[in-house]
């Protein structure tokens, strides 16, 4: 019979004995004052009671062991408490759903209480709450604490969400009366400096000193588990006992106890990575850091040859650059010039079209076809390893393609500047658009909107915010999610995909009901714009020599070849990110069910290798996991500066340095054009007294409309047709919004950034790099967006 002393139970035993008992055993071993107890495993109880016929009692091993427990208790009264395997998990606490019995002494009383506690896991109320006692129910037997005063405490104020305040409830006698709602408690609030004030209740049930001890206990337990805790406690004979601890549900990560991280920047210049607006959790860091370390040097392979080194400072990702000497730079430029002359940038782009793209798509399809819940643990470990390997290969190609594309665009830009005198905005009219594997994710939303608009009941349901009941629409919608919903909205594992939040996609369809997106018409518009720009360039070059005309045509053809690659490779990358997210969360679900983690999402706070080890039977240390969570929470509240170290400076030529060859000079010219466009908009972020923001003029046109501030993919469904999208920055995955966008305003970006490119492709006036538009403007503000002058202002009416 699986009965063991509470002192021998720990979190590793949660799948056997239930979460409540496992947590108390862990805390007892750690030195907390937990009453002596014994635990009966879920499997033993299933064996004892699971096959009973009505009215049948099975005496035997369990009764014998219970007799031994009562003998060990020495005649003291005991409490019998249910301990569900799924109980007290963060997000699904089951608080009050299971049975507890107090002040029991006889064997018959205890035996019947054990039976009732086990049966409570299969009651209608538990089934209604969370689907039943998944994993079973253990039972905890503890020596009673003859409480003079007892109660509960939250390590944070769950009403005000103040992390500096513990809330304590206290009643005379046993706390079970409070949990059952039989009495009204007096309430206290205790600040971190030890000030205790009574917030309700007329009689002083507990002294301020006792309340401070309880607050200290609650904070200590929260620090140990790395998340806010709800504890139950009791005083007897001047001694404070800990009776239960469970995670507080429904509070944000910011309320996790903080663990400061020393910000140690390496030598050189370290610049914050603009692609990440949150710190790196341990799982993300352990997967991404080695991949970026190997791949990121390719980004400048055909420009400066710099080799940025990804580093993490204060929990945030940075790119570290070391200063060059002029001689080092020139040597690299000559080497790059040789590779350019050999046609390497164009060959890389051609490899994507000729094989890499199909290979990547096939691999993603195979990995997506895996049914994760059916994999045994060793199969899930293998799947995670396969994803990590694919992740490394794809990101190596991603950065190689980025470097090659940047050179080809820079060469076109410099060619147009030198031969035609064109500004960057004019050159970008030569770029095509709405071509590539990523486009159907946007185009097919228009088809869904047309289908919905033609069916009054479907349209009415969407306008009411409901999911339509229509077989044809449902089939098309399901097919859309299956094909295009499994992508993360950016390079992140923390945000859900569209497939995980179908209501967001319904909102996108709703926004197009009156004007479904017509990709054919949009492609025709873009083609006309490009054809006009090409004709203008060729006319201007007709008077020049054949060499200049050939130079332009070569640069244009190479740029055309690379145009669709930018967003295609992004779509492939975030598809793989989504699969890694799914596999990570599957691992988290399994570990949470077994008690190794408090919640599925805690897997983010394990290193990759720690996750594999946990799946293979070596659970993470509670203290270490709490430290990871606390460090992440601290980093989230303390974003580092944009730059550590001296700002990058141009390399000055020294005496005796040879002039660059024509090939090296051409590479330098292309790089300078690209860098100047990325750095354009010196006035970005400036705000005058008239409430006007200045940014980069990214897409021409003037538009007046209502603002809609959106900061994550979860909010995509809030956009309405014709609104001004105000956001931090977009990635290629935000393209699904643009058929409904009237104008675009972003905090970050440049003329060559994703938001600028998307706006130009979709004919949307845009101002990017305003600095803080998402803070200055609010939903419903009437904005005037001038994408030609780079200004955004709040209209007076």
């Amino acid at each position: 019979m699986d009965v063991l002393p509470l002192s021998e139970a720990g979190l590793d035993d949660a799948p056997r004995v239930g979460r409540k008992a496992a947590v108390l055993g862990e805390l007892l071993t750690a030195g907390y004052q937990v009453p002596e107890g014994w635990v009966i495993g879920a499997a033993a109880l299933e064996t004892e009671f699971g096959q009973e016929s009505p009215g049948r009692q099975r005496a035997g091993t369990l009764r014998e062991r219970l007799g031994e427990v009562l003998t060990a208790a020495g005649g003291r009264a005991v409490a019998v408490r249910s301990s569900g395997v799924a109980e007290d998990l963060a997000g699904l606490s089951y608080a009050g759903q299971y049975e507890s019995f107090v002040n029991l002494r006889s064997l018959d009383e205890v035996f019947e209480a054990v039976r009732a506690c086990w049966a409570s896991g299969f009651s209608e109320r538990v089934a209604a709450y969370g689907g039943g006692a998944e994993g079973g129910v253990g039972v905890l037997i503890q020596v009673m604490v003859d409480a003079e005063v007892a109660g509960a405490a939250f390590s944070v104020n769950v009403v005000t969400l103040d992390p500096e305040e513990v809330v304590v409830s206290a009643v005379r006698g046993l706390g079970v009366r409070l949990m059952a709602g039989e009495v009204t408690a007096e309430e206290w609030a205790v600040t971190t400096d030890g000030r205790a004030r009574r917030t309700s209740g007329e009689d002083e049930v507990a002294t301020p000193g006792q309340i401070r001890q309880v607050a200290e206990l609650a904070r200590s337990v929260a620090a140990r588990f790395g998340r806010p805790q709800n504890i139950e406690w009791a005083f007897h004979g001047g001694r404070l006992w800990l009776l239960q601890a469970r995670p507080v549900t429904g509070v944000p990560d910011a309320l996790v106890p903080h663990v400061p991280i020393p910000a140690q920047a390496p030598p050189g210049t370290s610049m914050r990575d603009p692609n990440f607006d949150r710190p790196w959790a341990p799982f993300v860091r352990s997967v991404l850091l080695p991949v970026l370390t190997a791949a990121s040097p390719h980004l400048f392979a055909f420009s400066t040859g710099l080799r940025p080194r990804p580093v993490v400072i204060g929990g945030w990702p940075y790119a570290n650059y070391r200063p060059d000497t002029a001689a080092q730079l020139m040597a690299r430029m000559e080497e790059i010039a040789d590779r350019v002359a050999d046609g390497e940038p164009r060959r890389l782009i051609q490899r994507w079209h000729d094989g890499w793209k199909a290979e990547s798509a096939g691999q993603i399809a195979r990995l997506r076809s895996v049914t994760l819940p059916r994999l045994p643990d060793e199969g899930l470990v293998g799947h995670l390893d396969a994803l990590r390997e694919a992740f490394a290969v794809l990101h190596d190609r991603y950065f190689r393609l980025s470097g090659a594309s940047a050179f080809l665009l820079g060469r076109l830009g410099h060619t147009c500047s030198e031969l035609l005198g064109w500004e960057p905005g004019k050159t970008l009219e030569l770029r095509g658009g709405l071509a590539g594997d990523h486009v159907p994710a946007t185009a097919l939303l228009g088809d869904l909107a047309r289908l919905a608009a033609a069916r009054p009941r479907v349209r009415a349901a969407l306008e009411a915010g409901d999911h339509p009941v229509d077989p044809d629409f449902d089939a098309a919608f399901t097919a859309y999610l299956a094909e295009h919903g499994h992508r993360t909205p950016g390079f992140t594992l923390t945000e859900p995909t569209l497939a995980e939040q179908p209501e967001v996609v319904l909102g996108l369809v709703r926004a197009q009901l009156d004007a479904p997106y017509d990709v054919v018409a949009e492609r025709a518009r873009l083609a006309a714009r490009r054809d006009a720009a090409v004709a203008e360039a060729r006319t201007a070059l007709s008077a020049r020599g054949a060499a200049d005309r050939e130079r332009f045509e070569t640069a244009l053809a190479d740029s055309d070849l690379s145009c669709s690659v930018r967003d295609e490779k992004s779509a492939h990358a975030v598809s793989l990110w989504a699969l890694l997210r799914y596999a990570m969360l599957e691992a988290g679900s399994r570990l949470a069910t077994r008690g190794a983690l408090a919640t599925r999402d805690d897997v983010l706070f394990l290193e990759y290798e720690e996750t594999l080890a946990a799946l293979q039977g070596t659970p993470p240390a509670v203290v270490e996991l709490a430290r990871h969570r606390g460090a992440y929470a601290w980093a989230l509240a303390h974003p580092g500066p944009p730059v550590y170290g001296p700002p990058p400076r141009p390399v000055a030529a020294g005496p005796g340095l040879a002039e660059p060859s024509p090939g090296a000079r051409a590479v330098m010219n292309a790089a300078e054009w690209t860098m100047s466009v990325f750095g354009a908009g010196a006035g970005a972020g400036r705000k005058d007294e008239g409430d006007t923001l200045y940014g980069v003029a990214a897409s021409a046109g003037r538009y007046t409309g209502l603002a809609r501030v959106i900061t994550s993919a979860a909010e995509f469904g809030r956009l309405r047709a014709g609104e001004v999208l105000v956001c931090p920055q977009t990635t290629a995955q935000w393209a699904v919004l643009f058929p409904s966008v009237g104008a675009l305003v972003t905090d970050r970006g440049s003329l060559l950034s994703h938001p600028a490119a998307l706006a130009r492709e979709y004919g949307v006036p845009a101002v990017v790099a305003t600095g803080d538009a998402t803070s200055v403007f609010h939903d419903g503000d009437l904005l005037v967006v001038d994408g030609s002058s780079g200004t955004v202002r709040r209209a007076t009416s």
Side-chain angles (χ1 to χ4, degrees):
M1 175 56 61
D2 187 11
V3 179
L4 68 157
L6 181 59
S7 59
E8 295 179 12
L11 289 180
D12 299 354
D13 301 300
R16 287 195 299 148
V17 302
R19 183 78 185 178
K20 181 188 298 176
V23 167
L24 286 176
E26 185 83 18
L27 292 169
L28 178 61
T29 303
Y32 289 83
Q33 295 297 321
V34 176
E36 183 182 7
W38 298 265
V39 185
I40 309 171
L45 292 168
E46 176 66 25
T47 299
E48 183 72 22
F49 300 124
Q51 304 300 319
E52 285 192 352
S53 302
R56 175 187 171 193
Q57 289 192 8
R58 180 180 298 179
T61 307
L62 178 57
R63 293 183 71 88
E64 292 174 5
R65 294 302 306 275
L66 290 178
E68 295 170 5
V69 165
L70 291 177
T71 299
R76 292 171 291 177
V78 298
V80 178
R81 313 168 71 189
S82 303
S83 180
V85 169
E87 186 180 8
D88 291 351
L89 294 176
L92 198 65
S93 71
Y94 283 89
Q97 302 301 312
Y98 294 109
E99 293 288 356
S100 292
F101 300 88
V102 296
N103 281 323
L104 307 180
R105 294 182 183 274
S106 74
L107 178 58
D108 286 343
E109 285 179 322
V110 171
F111 183 84
E112 290 304 321
V114 168
R115 185 208 303 272
C117 285
W118 173 81
S120 71
F122 307 93
S123 66
E124 291 183 5
R125 68 179 180 182
V126 169
Y129 179 81
E134 183 179 350
V137 179
V139 171
L140 170 63
I141 302 172
Q142 283 182 287
V143 172
M144 286 289 300
V145 174
D146 189 12
E148 295 135 8
V149 57
F154 290 89
S155 64
V156 298
N157 190 319
V158 292
V159 177
T160 65
L161 297 183
D162 184 354
E164 305 296 318
E165 196 168 71
V166 175
V167 176
V168 182
S169 304
V171 297
R172 289 191 176 88
L174 296 179
V176 68
R177 298 187 304 136
L178 170 62
M179 312 312 163
E182 297 173 0
V183 294
T184 301
E186 72 171 11
E187 303 286 340
W188 293 76
V190 186
T191 57
T192 51
D193 61 4
R195 289 183 292 113
R197 73 181 193 281
R198 191 170 56 191
T199 58
S200 69
E202 298 180 0
D203 299 326
E204 188 173 279
V205 172
T207 68
Q210 288 176 318
I211 295 299
R212 279 191 287 270
Q213 286 186 60
V214 173
E216 205 173 296
L217 176 63
R219 289 196 179 101
S220 174
V221 175
R224 179 167 185 82
F225 289 118
R227 63 171 67 247
Q229 296 285 310
N230 170 208
I231 68 168
E232 294 177 21
W233 56 271
F235 271 102
H236 172 69
R239 193 174 186 183
L240 175 60
W241 293 89
L242 176 61
L243 306 181
Q244 187 166 345
R246 65 169 69 93
V248 179
T249 58
V251 297
D253 282 342
L255 299 187
V256 170
H258 289 191
V259 176
I261 308 172
Q264 299 174 332
T269 302
S270 298
M271 306 179 69
R272 259 267 295 279
D273 192 324
N275 293 308
F276 299 94
D277 58 3
R278 297 177 77 84
W280 277 357
F283 189 95
V284 176
R285 183 186 65 243
S286 60
V287 171
L288 195 54
L289 189 58
V291 169
L292 290 186
T293 299
S296 57
H298 301 316
L299 190 60
F300 300 107
F302 303 105
S303 55
T304 63
L306 280 175
R307 298 180 66 84
R309 185 168 65 98
V311 295
V312 180
I313 306 174
W316 290 84
Y318 285 77
N320 177 254
Y321 301 87
R322 302 294 173 89
D324 269 327
T325 66
Q328 288 171 328
L329 176 61
M330 293 309 302
R332 282 205 311 271
M333 300 308 293
E334 295 295 346
E335 186 269 333
I336 291 170
D338 290 341
R339 291 192 287 119
V340 167
D342 191 43
E344 186 175 339
R346 194 182 199 284
R347 277 202 308 277
L348 282 170
I349 301 298
Q350 195 65 56
R351 286 189 73 180
W352 174 257
H353 294 296
D354 291 346
W356 280 356
K357 178 169 68 171
E359 180 185 326
S360 173
Q363 186 174 40
I364 289 169
R366 288 191 296 274
L367 290 168
R368 188 183 292 166
S369 69
V370 174
T371 305
L372 296 179
R374 294 182 182 174
L375 291 176
D377 285 351
E378 60 270 21
L380 182 57
V381 167
H383 182 67
L384 279 163
D385 279 340
L387 283 169
R388 186 169 66 162
E389 182 179 349
F391 196 82
V393 170
L394 179 57
H395 283 72
D396 181 81
R397 294 173 178 177
Y398 183 103
F399 279 88
R400 290 180 186 274
L401 294 167
S402 295
S405 297
F407 168 76
L408 296 177
L409 177 58
R411 184 171 65 179
L412 175 65
H414 178 72
T415 298
C416 291
S417 174
E418 186 174 49
L419 300 183
L420 300 169
W422 281 9
E423 294 293 323
K426 181 67 177 177
T427 297
L428 292 173
E429 291 181 10
L430 295 171
R431 298 282 281 180
L434 300 181
D437 291 352
H438 59 285
V439 175
T442 301
L444 291 177
L445 285 173
D447 293 344
L448 285 172
R450 270 183 286 276
L451 177 61
R455 301 182 178 222
R457 289 185 178 180
V458 175
R459 181 185 184 112
L462 288 173
E463 289 176 337
D466 298 328
H467 194 299
V469 179
D470 180 278
D472 293 337
F473 180 84
D474 193 58
F477 182 73
T478 301
Y480 176 88
L481 290 181
E483 184 64 25
H484 303 291
H486 299 291
R487 299 173 183 174
T488 56
F491 296 103
T492 175
L493 296 177
T494 58
E495 284 194 66
T497 63
L498 291 181
E500 293 176 87
Q501 40 190 354
E503 69 283 355
V504 171
V505 183
L506 291 175
L508 294 171
V509 175
R510 181 173 62 241
Q512 292 191 38
L513 286 173
D514 292 328
Y517 183 59
D518 186 344
V519 70
V520 175
E522 285 300 300
R523 281 174 171 156
R525 178 187 62 79
L526 282 174
R529 185 188 73 178
R530 181 184 181 280
D531 290 347
V534 171
E536 182 180 343
R538 286 172 175 163
T539 298
L541 291 170
S542 62
R544 301 184 69 105
D548 286 344
R549 293 196 299 273
E550 182 180 355
R551 176 183 167 194
F552 170 78
E553 295 295 341
T554 299
L556 179 64
D558 286 352
S559 176
D560 285 346
L561 186 69
S562 68
C563 189
S564 65
V565 173
R566 182 200 66 191
D567 285 350
E568 279 187 336
K569 64 181 173 55
S570 292
H572 284 231
V574 295
S575 296
L576 204 52
W577 279 77
L579 298 181
L580 186 58
R581 169 180 166 81
Y582 296 158
M584 175 193 72
L585 293 179
E586 173 65 23
S589 294
R590 296 185 186 192
L591 296 174
T593 298
R594 297 165 193 172
L597 301 176
T599 175
R600 178 190 72 168
D601 291 346
D602 272 355
V603 72
L604 273 168
F605 304 101
L606 298 179
E607 302 276 349
Y608 179 83
E609 296 297 340
E610 290 176 326
T611 303
L612 299 192
L615 286 171
Q616 293 167 333
T618 305
V622 175
V623 174
E624 189 67 12
L625 184 60
R627 189 181 66 80
H628 286 331
R629 285 190 60 89
Y632 179 83
W634 183 90
L636 194 61
H638 299 85
V643 179
Y644 282 99
R649 295 181 178 178
V651 176
L657 194 66
E659 282 293 316
S661 67
R665 173 55 64 188
V667 170
M668 294 169 69
N669 289 338
E672 287 171 1
W673 185 90
T674 303
M675 291 300 105
S676 69
V677 176
F678 269 117
R686 181 167 58 87
K687 183 165 75 77
D688 66 15
E689 294 180 358
D691 210 17
T692 297
L693 280 182
Y694 294 82
V696 173
S699 181
R702 185 182 174 91
Y703 185 83
T704 301
L706 299 178
R708 179 68 67 181
V709 181
I710 292 179
T711 60
S712 71
E715 300 174 316
F716 280 6
R718 297 174 53 236
L719 184 74
R720 297 294 178 267
E723 290 182 330
V724 177
L725 172 60
V726 182
C727 60
Q729 186 167 334
T730 70
T731 64
Q733 305 353 294
W734 287 55
V736 292
L737 292 172
F738 276 73
S740 303
V741 171
L744 173 68
V745 180
T746 69
D747 292 342
R748 304 189 296 274
S750 68
L751 195 60
L752 290 182
S753 63
H754 264 120
L758 286 173
R760 288 191 295 270
E761 287 187 356
Y762 288 87
V764 171
V767 178
V768 302
T770 61
D772 57 357
T774 53
S775 300
V776 172
F777 301 127
H778 304 92
D779 284 353
D781 285 349
L782 186 63
L783 301 183
V784 180
V785 181
D786 192 328
S788 301
S789 66
T791 61
V792 187
R793 66 178 175 85
R794 188 182 284 111
T796 55
S797 62

